[in-house]
Amino acid sequence: MKSVQQEVDERSNLTNSNKFELLLFRLGGDANGEHSELFGINVFKIREIVAMPEVTAVAGSPPHMLGVVNLRGQIITVLDLPGIVGVTPKTGLNIMLVTEFARTTQAFAVESVDEIVRLDWSQVLTAEGTAGGKVTSIARVDGDVQNTRLAQVLDVETILRELVPPERDDIDPETIGPKVILKPGSVVLAADDSVVARNLIEKGLEAMGVHFIMTKSGKEAWDRLQSIAEGAKAEGLPITDRVAMVLTDLEMPEMDGFTLTRLIKQDPRFGKIPVVIHSSLSGKTNEDHVKGVGADAYVAKFSAEDLAGTIRAVLGKAASAA
Protein backbone atom coordinates (compact mmCIF):
# COMPACT_ATOMS: atom_id res chain seq x y z
CA MET A 1 0.00 0.00 0.00
CA LYS A 2 1.29 3.45 -0.88
CA SER A 3 1.44 6.01 1.87
CA VAL A 4 -0.37 9.33 1.51
CA GLN A 5 3.01 11.06 1.16
CA GLN A 6 4.00 8.72 -1.68
CA GLU A 7 0.76 9.55 -3.48
CA VAL A 8 1.40 13.28 -3.02
CA ASP A 9 5.00 12.98 -4.22
CA GLU A 10 4.02 10.98 -7.30
CA ARG A 11 1.31 13.46 -8.21
CA SER A 12 3.70 16.38 -7.75
CA ASN A 13 6.31 14.72 -9.96
CA LEU A 14 3.89 14.30 -12.88
CA THR A 15 4.85 17.75 -14.13
CA ASN A 16 8.39 16.47 -14.77
CA SER A 17 7.23 13.82 -17.24
CA ASN A 18 4.53 15.38 -19.47
CA LYS A 19 1.91 13.44 -17.52
CA PHE A 20 -1.24 14.42 -15.68
CA GLU A 21 -4.23 12.86 -13.94
CA LEU A 22 -7.70 13.01 -15.41
CA LEU A 23 -10.89 12.54 -13.42
CA LEU A 24 -13.33 10.55 -15.57
CA PHE A 25 -17.04 11.10 -15.11
CA ARG A 26 -20.33 10.63 -16.94
CA LEU A 27 -23.08 13.12 -17.63
CA GLY A 28 -25.76 11.03 -19.35
CA GLY A 29 -26.74 10.08 -22.86
CA ASP A 30 -29.48 10.68 -25.39
CA ALA A 31 -33.10 11.45 -24.52
CA ASN A 32 -33.42 7.93 -23.12
CA GLY A 33 -30.24 8.19 -21.07
CA GLU A 34 -28.41 5.71 -23.32
CA HIS A 35 -24.89 5.87 -24.85
CA SER A 36 -23.40 7.65 -21.86
CA GLU A 37 -19.96 8.95 -22.88
CA LEU A 38 -16.87 9.60 -20.76
CA PHE A 39 -15.82 13.15 -19.94
CA GLY A 40 -12.74 14.35 -18.11
CA ILE A 41 -11.25 17.20 -16.11
CA ASN A 42 -7.71 17.68 -14.83
CA VAL A 43 -7.44 16.54 -11.21
CA PHE A 44 -5.46 19.68 -10.38
CA LYS A 45 -8.67 21.67 -10.91
CA ILE A 46 -10.72 19.52 -8.52
CA ARG A 47 -10.95 20.74 -4.94
CA GLU A 48 -13.30 17.99 -3.78
CA ILE A 49 -15.99 15.55 -4.86
CA VAL A 50 -19.16 15.32 -2.79
CA ALA A 51 -22.58 13.72 -2.97
CA MET A 52 -25.06 16.16 -4.48
CA PRO A 53 -26.34 18.40 -1.65
CA GLU A 54 -29.57 20.36 -1.60
CA VAL A 55 -29.27 23.33 -3.92
CA THR A 56 -30.94 26.69 -3.33
CA ALA A 57 -32.37 28.10 -6.57
CA VAL A 58 -31.53 31.75 -7.23
CA ALA A 59 -34.19 33.98 -8.78
CA GLY A 60 -33.32 35.14 -12.28
CA SER A 61 -30.50 32.65 -12.76
CA PRO A 62 -29.39 31.95 -16.34
CA PRO A 63 -30.16 28.57 -17.94
CA HIS A 64 -28.19 25.61 -16.53
CA MET A 65 -27.36 27.41 -13.29
CA LEU A 66 -28.97 25.19 -10.65
CA GLY A 67 -28.41 27.65 -7.82
CA VAL A 68 -26.03 27.84 -4.87
CA VAL A 69 -24.91 25.66 -1.98
CA ASN A 70 -23.34 26.50 1.36
CA LEU A 71 -20.24 24.30 1.60
CA ARG A 72 -18.35 24.76 4.86
CA GLY A 73 -19.28 28.40 5.05
CA GLN A 74 -18.61 29.22 1.39
CA ILE A 75 -21.46 30.02 -1.02
CA ILE A 76 -20.72 28.19 -4.28
CA THR A 77 -22.55 28.38 -7.60
CA VAL A 78 -23.66 24.99 -8.97
CA LEU A 79 -23.88 24.43 -12.72
CA ASP A 80 -25.83 21.71 -14.55
CA LEU A 81 -23.05 20.17 -16.63
CA PRO A 82 -25.25 17.60 -18.46
CA GLY A 83 -27.61 20.39 -19.48
CA ILE A 84 -24.72 22.52 -20.69
CA VAL A 85 -23.42 19.82 -23.04
CA GLY A 86 -26.90 18.68 -24.06
CA VAL A 87 -27.24 15.19 -22.57
CA THR A 88 -29.75 13.57 -20.21
CA PRO A 89 -28.66 11.87 -16.98
CA LYS A 90 -30.46 8.54 -16.56
CA THR A 91 -30.16 8.39 -12.77
CA GLY A 92 -30.12 12.12 -12.03
CA LEU A 93 -27.50 14.59 -10.82
CA ASN A 94 -25.79 12.57 -8.10
CA ILE A 95 -22.30 14.02 -7.72
CA MET A 96 -20.95 17.55 -7.31
CA LEU A 97 -17.44 18.39 -8.49
CA VAL A 98 -16.09 21.45 -6.66
CA THR A 99 -13.46 23.10 -8.83
CA GLU A 100 -10.92 25.88 -8.41
CA PHE A 101 -9.38 27.57 -11.42
CA ALA A 102 -8.97 30.99 -13.01
CA ARG A 103 -9.25 32.65 -9.58
CA THR A 104 -12.74 31.26 -8.98
CA THR A 105 -14.51 28.45 -7.13
CA GLN A 106 -17.60 26.79 -8.58
CA ALA A 107 -19.29 23.39 -8.70
CA PHE A 108 -20.47 21.19 -11.54
CA ALA A 109 -23.28 18.67 -11.11
CA VAL A 110 -22.65 15.34 -12.87
CA GLU A 111 -24.34 11.95 -13.01
CA SER A 112 -21.48 9.74 -11.84
CA VAL A 113 -17.72 9.57 -11.35
CA ASP A 114 -15.76 6.63 -12.80
CA GLU A 115 -12.10 6.84 -11.83
CA ILE A 116 -8.88 8.84 -11.92
CA VAL A 117 -6.43 7.82 -14.65
CA ARG A 118 -2.82 8.85 -15.15
CA LEU A 119 -2.07 9.81 -18.75
CA ASP A 120 0.71 11.21 -20.87
CA TRP A 121 -0.24 14.40 -22.69
CA SER A 122 0.74 12.62 -25.93
CA GLN A 123 -2.42 10.52 -25.39
CA VAL A 124 -4.49 13.68 -25.70
CA LEU A 125 -5.40 15.04 -29.13
CA THR A 126 -6.93 18.41 -29.91
CA ALA A 127 -10.65 18.46 -30.59
CA GLU A 128 -11.18 22.12 -31.33
CA GLY A 129 -14.47 22.84 -33.05
CA THR A 130 -16.43 19.98 -31.47
CA ALA A 131 -19.32 20.26 -29.01
CA GLY A 132 -19.79 23.95 -29.75
CA GLY A 133 -16.33 24.79 -28.43
CA LYS A 134 -16.93 23.12 -25.06
CA VAL A 135 -14.39 20.32 -25.64
CA THR A 136 -10.71 21.16 -26.01
CA SER A 137 -9.36 17.66 -26.58
CA ILE A 138 -9.98 13.91 -26.70
CA ALA A 139 -8.03 11.64 -24.34
CA ARG A 140 -7.19 8.10 -25.43
CA VAL A 141 -7.64 6.65 -21.96
CA ASP A 142 -6.04 3.25 -22.65
CA GLY A 143 -3.30 4.58 -24.92
CA ASP A 144 -2.86 4.33 -28.68
CA VAL A 145 -4.59 0.96 -28.99
CA GLN A 146 -7.56 -0.33 -30.92
CA ASN A 147 -10.89 0.29 -29.16
CA THR A 148 -9.35 2.50 -26.50
CA ARG A 149 -11.83 4.33 -24.32
CA LEU A 150 -12.17 7.96 -25.36
CA ALA A 151 -12.84 10.79 -22.92
CA GLN A 152 -13.86 14.29 -23.90
CA VAL A 153 -11.81 16.86 -21.96
CA LEU A 154 -14.08 19.80 -21.30
CA ASP A 155 -13.04 23.43 -21.68
CA VAL A 156 -14.42 24.41 -18.31
CA GLU A 157 -13.07 27.96 -18.60
CA THR A 158 -15.10 28.54 -21.76
CA ILE A 159 -18.19 26.94 -20.21
CA LEU A 160 -17.92 29.13 -17.13
CA ARG A 161 -17.32 32.28 -19.13
CA GLU A 162 -20.39 31.60 -21.29
CA LEU A 163 -22.66 30.93 -18.31
CA VAL A 164 -21.29 33.55 -15.94
CA PRO A 165 -19.78 36.24 -18.17
CA PRO A 166 -17.56 38.84 -16.50
CA GLU A 167 -18.96 42.31 -15.90
CA ARG A 168 -16.53 43.60 -18.49
CA ASP A 169 -15.17 41.59 -21.39
CA ASP A 170 -13.35 44.37 -23.19
CA ILE A 171 -9.72 45.28 -22.67
CA ASP A 172 -9.12 48.93 -21.91
CA PRO A 173 -5.85 50.22 -23.39
CA GLU A 174 -5.77 52.81 -20.59
CA THR A 175 -5.55 50.12 -17.89
CA ILE A 176 -3.17 47.97 -19.94
CA GLY A 177 -0.59 50.74 -19.85
CA PRO A 178 1.93 52.00 -22.38
CA LYS A 179 2.84 50.17 -25.56
CA VAL A 180 5.63 47.60 -25.38
CA ILE A 181 8.42 48.07 -27.89
CA LEU A 182 10.09 44.90 -29.14
CA LYS A 183 13.05 44.60 -31.49
CA PRO A 184 11.95 44.96 -35.12
CA GLY A 185 10.97 41.52 -36.40
CA SER A 186 10.63 40.07 -32.90
CA VAL A 187 7.46 38.45 -31.55
CA VAL A 188 5.91 36.88 -28.49
CA LEU A 189 5.28 33.19 -29.15
CA ALA A 190 2.09 32.17 -27.34
CA ALA A 191 0.45 28.77 -26.77
CA ASP A 192 -3.03 27.98 -25.45
CA ASP A 193 -5.54 25.30 -26.41
CA SER A 194 -8.65 27.25 -25.37
CA VAL A 195 -10.38 29.38 -28.01
CA VAL A 196 -11.61 31.81 -25.36
CA ALA A 197 -8.16 32.12 -23.77
CA ARG A 198 -6.48 32.69 -27.14
CA ASN A 199 -8.96 35.41 -27.97
CA LEU A 200 -8.36 37.20 -24.67
CA ILE A 201 -4.57 36.86 -24.97
CA GLU A 202 -4.63 38.19 -28.52
CA LYS A 203 -6.70 41.21 -27.46
CA GLY A 204 -4.31 41.91 -24.60
CA LEU A 205 -1.18 41.64 -26.74
CA GLU A 206 -2.75 43.82 -29.44
CA ALA A 207 -3.61 46.46 -26.82
CA MET A 208 0.04 46.38 -25.75
CA GLY A 209 1.17 46.82 -29.35
CA VAL A 210 3.00 43.48 -29.27
CA HIS A 211 3.45 41.37 -32.40
CA PHE A 212 2.78 37.71 -31.66
CA ILE A 213 2.44 34.21 -33.06
CA MET A 214 -0.40 32.19 -31.53
CA THR A 215 -0.29 28.37 -31.34
CA LYS A 216 -2.73 25.79 -29.96
CA SER A 217 -0.45 23.42 -28.04
CA GLY A 218 2.96 23.08 -26.47
CA LYS A 219 4.08 20.82 -29.31
CA GLU A 220 2.98 23.30 -31.97
CA ALA A 221 4.81 26.09 -30.10
CA TRP A 222 7.96 23.96 -29.78
CA ASP A 223 7.89 23.06 -33.49
CA ARG A 224 7.36 26.72 -34.39
CA LEU A 225 10.25 27.79 -32.17
CA GLN A 226 12.54 25.27 -33.90
CA SER A 227 11.50 26.64 -37.29
CA ILE A 228 12.09 30.24 -36.23
CA ALA A 229 15.51 29.27 -34.84
CA GLU A 230 16.52 27.74 -38.17
CA GLY A 231 15.44 30.90 -39.98
CA ALA A 232 17.34 33.13 -37.55
CA LYS A 233 20.47 31.00 -37.90
CA ALA A 234 20.29 31.28 -41.68
CA GLU A 235 20.16 35.07 -41.29
CA GLY A 236 23.05 35.05 -38.85
CA LEU A 237 20.85 36.38 -36.05
CA PRO A 238 20.40 35.25 -32.45
CA ILE A 239 17.01 33.65 -31.74
CA THR A 240 16.26 36.47 -29.27
CA ASP A 241 16.07 38.85 -32.26
CA ARG A 242 13.10 36.84 -33.49
CA VAL A 243 11.41 35.59 -30.28
CA ALA A 244 11.27 38.06 -27.40
CA MET A 245 9.31 35.80 -25.05
CA VAL A 246 7.25 32.61 -24.84
CA LEU A 247 3.83 32.80 -23.17
CA THR A 248 2.34 29.39 -22.46
CA ASP A 249 -0.66 27.71 -20.88
CA LEU A 250 -0.05 24.57 -18.78
CA GLU A 251 -2.80 22.14 -19.85
CA MET A 252 -2.47 21.42 -23.56
CA PRO A 253 -2.82 18.33 -25.77
CA GLU A 254 0.31 16.48 -26.92
CA MET A 255 2.73 18.57 -24.82
CA ASP A 256 1.97 20.54 -21.67
CA GLY A 257 3.41 23.89 -20.68
CA PHE A 258 5.72 22.38 -18.08
CA THR A 259 7.41 20.24 -20.73
CA LEU A 260 7.57 23.10 -23.22
CA THR A 261 9.20 25.34 -20.62
CA ARG A 262 11.69 22.66 -19.60
CA LEU A 263 12.68 21.99 -23.25
CA ILE A 264 13.24 25.70 -23.84
CA LYS A 265 15.29 26.24 -20.70
CA GLN A 266 17.43 23.15 -21.22
CA ASP A 267 18.28 23.98 -24.84
CA PRO A 268 21.41 26.18 -25.17
CA ARG A 269 19.84 27.93 -28.16
CA PHE A 270 16.81 29.12 -26.21
CA GLY A 271 18.02 29.56 -22.64
CA LYS A 272 17.91 33.36 -22.86
CA ILE A 273 14.30 33.46 -24.03
CA PRO A 274 12.08 34.31 -21.05
CA VAL A 275 9.07 32.06 -20.48
CA VAL A 276 5.89 33.20 -18.76
CA ILE A 277 3.32 30.59 -17.74
CA HIS A 278 -0.27 31.82 -17.95
CA SER A 279 -2.66 29.27 -16.51
CA SER A 280 -5.99 28.70 -14.83
CA LEU A 281 -4.22 26.18 -12.56
CA SER A 282 -3.51 28.31 -9.52
CA GLY A 283 -2.28 27.69 -6.00
CA LYS A 284 1.11 27.36 -4.33
CA THR A 285 1.75 23.79 -5.55
CA ASN A 286 1.42 24.76 -9.20
CA GLU A 287 3.48 27.92 -8.68
CA ASP A 288 6.23 25.78 -7.11
CA HIS A 289 6.13 23.50 -10.19
CA VAL A 290 6.50 26.59 -12.38
CA LYS A 291 9.66 27.60 -10.53
CA GLY A 292 10.94 24.04 -10.75
CA VAL A 293 10.92 23.99 -14.57
CA GLY A 294 12.67 27.36 -14.77
CA ALA A 295 9.86 29.65 -15.90
CA ASP A 296 10.59 33.34 -15.47
CA ALA A 297 7.11 34.18 -14.18
CA TYR A 298 3.65 32.82 -13.51
CA VAL A 299 0.39 34.72 -13.90
CA ALA A 300 -3.08 33.30 -13.20
CA LYS A 301 -5.85 33.62 -15.78
CA PHE A 302 -7.43 35.93 -16.58
CA SER A 303 -6.63 39.55 -15.81
CA ALA A 304 -5.43 41.56 -18.79
CA GLU A 305 -3.81 44.08 -16.46
CA ASP A 306 -1.89 41.42 -14.50
CA LEU A 307 -0.79 39.72 -17.71
CA ALA A 308 0.39 43.03 -19.21
CA GLY A 309 2.27 43.93 -16.04
CA THR A 310 3.99 40.54 -15.91
CA ILE A 311 4.97 40.64 -19.60
CA ARG A 312 6.33 44.17 -19.21
CA ALA A 313 8.37 43.21 -16.13
CA VAL A 314 9.81 40.03 -17.69
CA LEU A 315 10.72 41.73 -20.98
CA GLY A 316 12.31 44.62 -19.06
CA LYS A 317 14.40 42.23 -16.99
CA ALA A 318 15.49 40.33 -20.11
CA ALA A 319 16.49 43.57 -21.86
CA SER A 320 18.58 44.75 -18.90
CA ALA A 321 20.34 41.37 -18.73
CA ALA A 322 21.21 41.37 -22.44
Side-chain angles (χ1 to χ4, degrees):
M1 289 286 290
K2 293 180 181 178
S3 68
V4 173
Q5 187 59 51
Q6 283 176 314
E7 293 279 359
V8 171
D9 290 344
E10 283 188 14
R11 189 159 288 167
S12 298
N13 289 331
L14 291 178
T15 56
N16 296 324
S17 56
N18 201 43
K19 295 181 184 295
F20 73 112
E21 288 186 330
L22 191 69
L23 174 69
L24 300 179
F25 55 90
R26 296 185 189 272
L27 301 177
D30 55 24
N32 298 316
E34 303 298 334
H35 310 296
S36 182
E37 305 293 350
L38 276 175
F39 291 85
I41 184 172
N42 193 324
V43 168
F44 277 136
K45 289 181 177 176
I46 303 292
R47 192 178 86 182
E48 55 187 310
I49 302 169
V50 298
M52 194 67 194
E54 183 176 343
V55 178
T56 300
V58 177
S61 296
H64 308 309
M65 184 181 291
L66 296 175
V68 296
V69 296
N70 178 29
L71 191 64
R72 282 180 284 285
Q74 183 179 10
I75 303 300
I76 299 175
T77 300
V78 184
L79 304 175
D80 175 9
L81 201 49
I84 292 167
V85 302
V87 298
T88 303
K90 190 173 185 178
T91 62
L93 299 173
N94 305 310
I95 302 293
M96 188 173 77
L97 308 180
V98 182
T99 63
E100 288 184 340
F101 57 89
R103 310 173 188 231
T104 63
T105 301
Q106 52 285 308
F108 294 97
V110 304
E111 182 174 33
S112 63
V113 167
D114 274 33
E115 60 178 319
I116 293 175
V117 292
R118 189 165 293 180
L119 305 175
D120 192 284
W121 278 108
S122 64
Q123 293 174 237
V124 183
L125 303 178
T126 185
E128 188 168 301
T130 64
K134 294 180 176 65
V135 173
T136 61
S137 51
I138 303 293
R140 296 172 292 188
V141 176
D142 306 307
D144 188 13
V145 297
Q146 191 71 19
N147 298 321
T148 180
R149 290 174 295 165
L150 298 177
Q152 301 173 62
V153 182
L154 291 171
D155 187 346
V156 285
E157 289 92 340
T158 294
I159 289 171
L160 185 63
R161 201 171 187 87
E162 287 180 356
L163 264 66
V164 191
E167 294 182 8
R168 290 188 56 186
D169 204 17
D170 60 326
I171 294 179
D172 187 353
E174 293 296 324
T175 61
I176 288 292
K179 300 287 186 181
V180 172
I181 307 300
L182 302 180
K183 291 180 182 179
S186 182
V187 299
V188 168
L189 178 61
D192 202 297
D193 68 328
S194 168
V195 175
V196 166
R198 290 200 302 271
N199 182 50
L200 291 170
I201 292 167
E202 288 173 358
K203 287 181 179 178
L205 293 176
E206 287 168 355
M208 295 174 69
V210 172
H211 294 286
F212 61 87
I213 295 172
M214 182 62 70
T215 62
K216 300 175 183 178
S217 73
K219 185 177 185 304
E220 185 182 348
W222 177 247
D223 292 343
R224 194 64 180 268
L225 184 59
Q226 304 274 357
S227 176
I228 294 172
E230 291 176 7
K233 183 178 180 180
E235 295 179 75
L237 298 173
I239 183 63
T240 48
D241 279 8
R242 289 290 175 256
V243 178
M245 189 188 78
V246 172
L247 176 67
T248 179
D249 187 21
L250 287 180
E251 302 174 276
M252 294 181 288
E254 298 184 283
M255 180 190 294
D256 68 0
F258 289 119
T259 301
L260 174 63
T261 302
R262 190 164 51 249
L263 288 174
I264 291 171
K265 291 302 183 179
Q266 291 176 352
D267 192 312
R269 297 172 297 169
F270 307 138
K272 293 184 178 180
I273 298 176
V275 178
V276 172
I277 288 179
H278 181 228
S279 175
S280 60
L281 294 178
S282 55
K284 186 178 185 304
T285 298
N286 287 303
E287 292 184 30
D288 288 344
H289 291 329
V290 166
K291 294 175 184 176
V293 295
D296 296 85
Y298 167 89
V299 58
K301 290 179 179 176
F302 184 85
S303 163
E305 292 77 14
D306 288 354
L307 179 58
T310 301
I311 289 174
R312 211 173 266 113
V314 169
L315 288 175
K317 185 177 179 181
S320 63

